[in-house]
Amino acid sequence: MKAVRNLSITGLLALILASVSWSVIANTPPYSIALSLWTGYPNNLQGFKDGLKESGLEPNKDVIFIQGPLTSDRAQQKAFAESLVTQNPDLVYSLTTSGTVIVKESIPDTTPIVFSIVTYPADSGLIDSFEYSGNNLVGTSNYIPLQHYLSLIDDLVPETKRAAIFHRKGEPNSKIQAANLTRLLKRKNIDVIDVQASDLEELRQKAELLTGDIDLFITTTDTLLQNGGEEVLIDISTQYKIPILSSNKSGIQNGATFGPVSDFYELGRQAAFLAAEILTQKTKLLTSRHRCRPNRYF
């Protein structure tokens, strides 16, 4: 298949969720925010800090951060989350589905959790629904409606007959995304290979085995793909002229062919507005329900 030109279609879905009220909030600054950032996501963290500043909370002055480890090691993440029980921060800022699940399971439900970069917060069991979280979690989601994937395939690679979807083995976010995409693609008579890998080397090996019999690579909003996996597939894509439909802005920036993606900086900024509201106004979100607000940039 002939590779199409590089095209970035960037989407932002800032998901504002309602929740119950919290009774234990510091009355005056400085407030303490624990940062559970999984492997890092510096653009998102910068957006979060900038959003706090826009809200009148100067980082390292009005807000003191408790930094967690930057790692995908679940044992280390769990140890940090459990340590927060005694450190008692005013709020926890958590990234990714995997990281947020650990935080939710480890700290008391009286501590507010603001999450970001969680694609399917309801389907993964973190909250009740997009309209009402039903617990101490609110946040922003990088969910992009899957019909945009199908539209791009129709417009840019309509001859696609066989596609491979790549995701980390055992990660709930991308497992849901891969399953939903597979169902929709099969309705279009596109054969789908579900490729699950535990690390970058396994990802490379499995992708290279498919190069002779595949029309399109598809990546997911996945910690493996976001932390080196896109680059692995881009190398193979360039060598074998296989287009990549990417789910990650970093993939587009590094050379993936096209894709509808979210802006992690803006997701962090929007999450900061939620955090600031919780900290400074003791927000009773149970009585203030907000639906998701899609904003797309082309």
Side-chain angles (χ1 to χ4, degrees), residues 55-273:
S55 302
L57 297 177
E58 187 72 37
N60 302 317
K61 178 182 176 182
D62 302 309
V63 174
I64 304 300
F65 297 113
I66 304 170
Q67 177 69 63
L70 302 182
T71 176
S72 60
D73 185 287
R74 293 174 184 271
Q76 292 186 45
Q77 292 291 350
K78 184 171 179 60
F80 172 69
E82 291 176 344
S83 75
L84 298 178
V85 176
T86 55
Q87 296 188 70
N88 194 28
D90 297 309
L91 182 144
V92 179
Y93 184 51
S94 177
L95 300 187
T96 77
T97 301
S98 298
T100 304
V101 167
I102 290 172
V103 170
K104 179 186 178 183
E105 293 175 345
S106 302
I107 69 172
D109 59 11
T110 53
T111 300
I113 299 170
V114 175
F115 62 78
S116 189
I117 315 181
V118 175
T119 314
Y120 295 96
D123 290 344
S124 60
L126 287 169
I127 59 170
D128 286 351
S129 70
F130 272 27
E131 290 78 21
Y132 175 63
S133 68
N135 54 24
N136 57 318
L137 282 78
V138 295
T140 57
S141 172
N142 57 324
Y143 171 74
I144 301 291
L146 296 182
Q147 61 262 32
H148 296 301
Y149 290 75
L150 302 184
S151 296
L152 287 172
I153 291 173
D154 286 342
D155 291 343
L156 300 175
V157 285
E159 67 272 32
T160 298
K161 300 299 182 184
R162 200 162 191 240
I165 301 176
F166 297 88
H167 60 107
R168 184 190 289 277
K169 185 176 182 180
E171 184 160 315
N173 246 7
S174 52
K175 181 178 180 180
I176 295 168
Q177 185 182 8
N180 289 339
L181 273 171
T182 297
R183 184 180 68 254
L184 294 174
L185 290 170
K186 285 184 175 180
R187 290 178 183 174
K188 295 174 64 65
N189 296 316
I190 296 175
D191 292 332
V192 179
I193 300 174
D194 186 305
V195 184
Q196 303 181 42
S198 299
D199 55 41
L200 295 178
E201 183 56 34
E202 184 180 5
L203 180 72
R204 179 180 294 277
Q205 291 174 0
K206 290 188 173 182
E208 288 178 340
L209 288 174
L210 295 171
T211 54
D213 192 30
I214 208 74
D215 299 316
L216 180 66
F217 285 167
I218 301 175
T219 70
T220 55
T221 52
D222 184 294
T223 57
L224 180 64
L225 277 301
Q226 292 163 355
N227 290 278
E230 290 271 1
E231 287 82 352
V232 168
L233 295 180
I234 288 167
D235 286 344
I236 297 170
S237 166
T238 302
Q239 182 178 354
Y240 292 95
K241 308 300 182 185
I242 301 171
I244 299 178
L245 172 51
S246 177
S247 293
N248 303 292
K249 186 176 180 179
S250 61
I252 297 294
Q253 292 171 328
N254 289 324
T257 319
F258 61 98
V261 297
S262 60
D263 188 316
F264 286 178
Y265 173 89
E266 186 61 27
L267 291 178
R269 180 171 169 268
Q270 293 290 332
F273 297 156

Side-chain angles (χ1 to χ4, degrees), residues 6-27:
N6 183 277
L7 173 66
S8 172
I9 298 181
T10 303
L12 162 69
L13 192 63
L15 172 64
I16 312 300
L17 295 165
S19 183
V20 299
S21 62
W22 295 282
S23 58
V24 184
I25 299 288
N27 291 322

